[in-house]
Amino acid sequence: MTSTDIPVHQRFNAHELFLQADRLEPCVLVIFGAAGDLTRRKLIPALYNLVHEQALDEHFAVIGYSRRPQSDEQYRAILFNGLKNYSRSQPIDDGVWQAFSKRISYVEGNFEDPEGYVALRGALEAVEQLIGSEGNRLFYFATPPSAAPVLLHRLSEAGLLQPGGAETPWTRVIMEKPYGRDLESASELNRIVAEVLQEDQVYRIDHYLGKETVQNILVARLGNTIFEPLWNRKYIDHIQITAAESIGVEGRGRFYDKTGVIRDMVQSHLLQVLSLCAMEPPVSFAADDIRDKRVEVLRSLRQFSSQEVLEHLVFGQYRGYRDEENVDPQSRTPTYAAIKCYVDNWRWQGVPFFLRVGKHLVQRMTEISVVFRPVPLCLFGRDDVCQDLEPNVLTIRIQPDEGMALKISSKRPGGEMEVGSVEMDFSYSETYTHPIKDAYERLLLDAVKGDATLFARRDEVEFAWRFVTPILDHWESAAKRQPVFYAEGSEGPGEADKLMDRYNRQWREIN
Ligand code: BG6
């Protein structure tokens, strides 16, 4: 079928979506958790870069809301310091910051106290008047999951949650991960959300979905004809997904010790990446068509029994973790996990997915490696040549060296029949001059535009929790079981290699 064979109404839909995406309505962003790390390190730098590139203009303003008493000026000064340290584009353009910072104001209030919301309402109306934003409001919960219910109740009681996520004036809410602590609390949070908001007003953020290279997974699969026919159990031996970080908990001990790697990284980021690798092609790129397919993968993830958790998972902890500030000196919280799991559907039956994620590893490296099956028969005669034949591997490098590589076999030059592995490599930095934007830039802009494609839907978070909750239950009830300790700067615990050995596979090197 050529593109002209596509029925007219479908072509028109795609065009319409594009037009919608291009139209940006004025709005005010209210950040709860305005004094927190996420705001300083990620949100304000992302907004500054959007303003710098003129994606956001003078019809956009920010109100920070938190408990700390401070003036607008003091708040802006703190944000400016964060910007100097964390903005991807440097140096900071003073003119741009000065103009933008005038549209950032601060409201002091705690999450419980209705008085704070009265003050917030006053500030919102004044800013809306000033920038002509006509009541479009975006609330960002840059807070721990436990704060979400009270924020929703108080906002609703204060009359600040108007119905409507699409028609103007709109109200949308961005909610940070982790969305709940387990299946029960996530379902309960979804229930509370549904009492005060419609689903199209809710933007559950997982910043991995906003990464350029994570979006490239679908383009690599569906924008090329050569991969998709091979993308199944017939040709793929296994898939490895690695998210290695070189940093530790970075002063977030209090949060991390209660959270651990399964809630912090697996439930959200890793399962989203897995879904994009394993999902069926959607009927279109509209938000719900893509989300439907991601959800199908999460639904198909085989759930672990307690015995299987023992067999298929490795929990690790870096050696210095217990000495980190605000971490329990006896803590069992895992900072590393290796998991072998299965997607039980027609396409993937029997193909293991190996996930590996951890802090304080030798290097920062997030990648997906699709390891293909060996050739059915080696025709090159001698045994030693056949032993040199390695399987094809397609690697999608998410970060930091963004790109893709395909390992293939080729004849070594010379009279003898000798075979070696070579790599075809595409690197973003060598191919494109355009800088790779931070994921939060893309996601904040999408939320302002009303495009929820890269955000998790209600059922999506619940199915992800359904998979990880038995893992957490097992770990949290096995009080005597200690994580395996690994050296900082290593590739993780040796037990993770043994997990692979048991299935005659090998992790790719973290380098
Ligand atoms: C966050 C986690 O969601 O993702 C952090 O809370 C982690 O613990 C971070 O460090 C990793 O994100 P990135 O974009 O640096 O891979």
Side-chain angles (χ1 to χ4, degrees), residues 38 42 176-178 206-208 211 243-245 247-250 252 255-256 259 263-265 268-269 359 364 366 398-399 438-440:
L38 183 73
K42 292 289 183 189
E176 258 301 330
K177 58 152 275 282
D206 176 330
H207 78 278
Y208 266 51
K211 287 183 191 279
E245 291 187 85
I247 55 169
V249 294
E250 301 279 287
R252 295 159 75 221
F255 160 79
Y256 196 87
T259 307
R263 290 191 178 90
D264 189 42
M265 294 289 289
S268 46
H269 306 329
K359 290 208 180 280
R364 178 169 187 243
T366 303
I398 307 289
Q399 61 192 22
D438 189 83
Y440 279 94

Side-chain angles (χ1 to χ4, degrees), residues 1-35:
M1 192 192 247
T2 65
S3 60
T4 47
D5 292 326
I6 297 172
V8 172
H9 69 278
Q10 280 183 18
R11 273 185 273 150
F12 180 66
N13 276 349
H15 181 61
E16 210 176 37
L17 280 174
F18 172 73
L19 284 183
Q20 273 174 12
D22 227 21
R23 212 181 314 129
L24 215 57
E25 285 145 339
C27 81
V28 182
L29 170 72
V30 178
I31 305 177
F32 292 95

Side-chain angles (χ1 to χ4, degrees), residues 44-168:
I44 295 298
L47 293 171
Y48 161 82
N49 281 302
L50 289 170
V51 172
H52 193 244
E53 287 172 7
Q54 296 169 355
L56 292 174
D57 60 14
E58 66 279 8
H59 300 294
F60 175 82
V62 178
I63 298 178
Y65 183 96
S66 95
R67 225 181 344 204
R68 184 182 299 172
Q70 60 189 338
S71 66
D72 287 348
E73 282 315 318
Q74 285 166 325
Y75 184 53
R76 290 173 190 150
I78 291 171
L79 297 182
F80 185 57
N81 268 331
L83 195 56
K84 282 191 292 188
N85 288 326
Y86 301 112
S87 168
R88 71 170 166 83
S89 66
Q90 297 285 354
I92 303 304
D93 183 323
D94 204 48
V96 172
W97 169 248
Q98 287 307 331
F100 175 40
S101 65
K102 286 202 186 90
R103 301 196 305 277
I104 302 180
S105 49
Y106 183 78
V107 173
E108 178 196 335
N110 75 38
F111 295 166
E112 284 285 354
D113 183 8
E115 282 302 301
Y117 296 81
V118 174
L120 177 60
R121 176 184 211 124
L124 253 172
E125 285 167 359
V127 173
E128 283 170 349
Q129 188 81 37
L130 207 68
I131 66 164
S133 64
E134 298 151 10
N136 297 325
R137 294 166 182 172
L138 183 57
F139 295 102
Y140 198 122
F141 295 181
T143 55
S146 54
V150 72
L151 288 174
L152 289 165
H153 285 135
R154 293 287 176 268
L155 281 169
S156 167
E157 285 154 14
L160 289 168
L161 297 181
Q162 297 300 325
E167 62 287 357
T168 44

Side-chain angles (χ1 to χ4, degrees), residues 121 159 168 172-173 192 203 208 337 340 404 461 502:
R121 176 184 211 124
T168 44
R172 299 178 190 139
V173 177
I192 296 171
Y203 289 69
Y208 266 51
K340 170 175 172 266
M404 277 168 67
V461 287
R502 284 209 295 282

Side-chain angles (χ1 to χ4, degrees), residues 1 7 60 62 68 100 147 207 230 265 274 284 287-288 305 316 320 326 339 362 383 396 422 445 459 465 472 492:
M1 192 192 247
F60 175 82
V62 178
R68 184 182 299 172
F100 175 40
H207 78 278
L230 311 179
M265 294 289 289
L274 186 153
S284 84
D288 275 328
S305 66
N326 296 319
I339 306 175
V362 55
D383 265 6
I396 302 177
V422 290
L445 205 56
D459 48 350
W465 279 116
L472 292 165

